[in-house]
Amino acid sequence: MEWQRERLTWDEKHMLAAITIASRSSCEVLHTGAVVIKNKRVIAEGYNGAPEGITNCLENGCRKKKHGVDFETKGTGNCIALHAEINALSEVSKERAHGATLYSVYYPCADCAKEIVNSGIQEIVYLKDYKEPSILAKELFEARSIKVRKLELDLERCFKVLEKTGNAEIYKK
């Protein structure tokens, strides 16, 4: 039997892309990323952060903290950041997003779910729940028959595969 190099699955590759883009987050507290995939290719990506041209929290401090609003308090209008899913979807037309898959580090919130449903995304793959998944988000996804699945990502296996690419020195200190 001929030796074959182990490779990342498409799910692993795309979720690692979402995790990597999360490293660009400009939120002081939560770092998340999302990628839109069509035909196994990234067509858009986004992370949570301030809108374009607006000073972000890393540079100007967290607006919620400044106003004494606890991070867990949602819907107060005090957070300046756009969510990763919204940032990713703003990078691609509705026509191009139609039928695509969205990989997101976190299960989308209700506001993101509305945009996802409207975009024509057909599948959502996520890594972690942020608290409890939104009941409204679940209802919206079910109403539009959007497939939603939680990915069990074995990072140790992924890093072993990456080390075997012949570029092991890149991954070492």
Side-chain angles (χ1 to χ4, degrees):
M1 185 167 118
E2 187 177 322
W3 177 86
Q4 289 186 339
R5 181 177 58 80
E6 190 175 5
R7 301 187 325 164
L8 295 175
T9 66
W10 286 110
D11 276 345
E12 290 168 336
K13 181 241 185 229
H14 298 318
M15 190 57 75
L16 288 174
I19 292 168
T20 300
I21 196 65
S23 70
R24 292 290 309 151
S25 169
S26 59
C27 178
E28 290 183 4
V29 182
L30 183 73
H31 307 125
T32 188
V35 292
V36 179
I37 305 296
K38 195 161 189 179
N39 300 322
K40 299 182 182 175
R41 303 293 180 256
V42 176
I43 61 170
E45 59 185 31
Y47 54 86
N48 58 318
E52 188 174 337
I54 304 298
T55 305
N56 66 55
C57 297
L58 297 178
E59 297 169 352
N60 203 29
C62 176
R63 194 168 187 283
K64 281 182 134 178
K65 286 180 186 175
K66 286 180 182 179
H67 292 281
V69 177
D70 181 68
F71 178 77
E72 302 298 328
T73 305
K74 306 296 178 197
T76 62
N78 284 292
C79 181
I80 198 166
L82 291 167
H83 289 188
E85 299 90 342
I86 301 297
N87 271 328
L89 290 172
S90 73
E91 295 285 319
V92 63
S93 69
K94 184 175 180 175
E95 291 79 20
R96 188 131 191 250
H98 186 80
T101 299
L102 177 91
Y103 284 78
S104 180
V105 174
Y106 285 95
Y107 187 93
C109 71
D111 287 336
C112 289
K114 294 171 193 176
E115 293 291 333
I116 291 166
V117 166
N118 201 44
S119 74
I121 293 286
Q122 73 176 11
E123 182 179 19
I124 299 161
V125 182
Y126 72 100
L127 189 59
K128 301 191 299 189
D129 290 306
Y130 179 68
K131 292 188 171 190
E132 292 296 318
S134 165
I135 293 169
L136 177 56
K138 284 183 178 183
E139 289 174 1
L140 291 168
F141 296 148
E142 287 173 5
R144 283 297 295 266
S145 300
I146 296 173
K147 182 179 178 182
V148 179
R149 61 189 170 91
K150 185 173 186 177
L151 182 64
E152 298 299 326
L153 187 64
D154 182 348
L155 280 175
E156 186 175 323
R157 187 195 98 72
C158 290
F159 289 125
K160 284 180 182 176
V161 170
L162 290 172
E163 285 181 333
K164 291 178 182 177
T165 63
N167 299 313
E169 69 279 359
I170 295 171
Y171 308 108
K172 297 186 191 261
K173 292 181 181 180

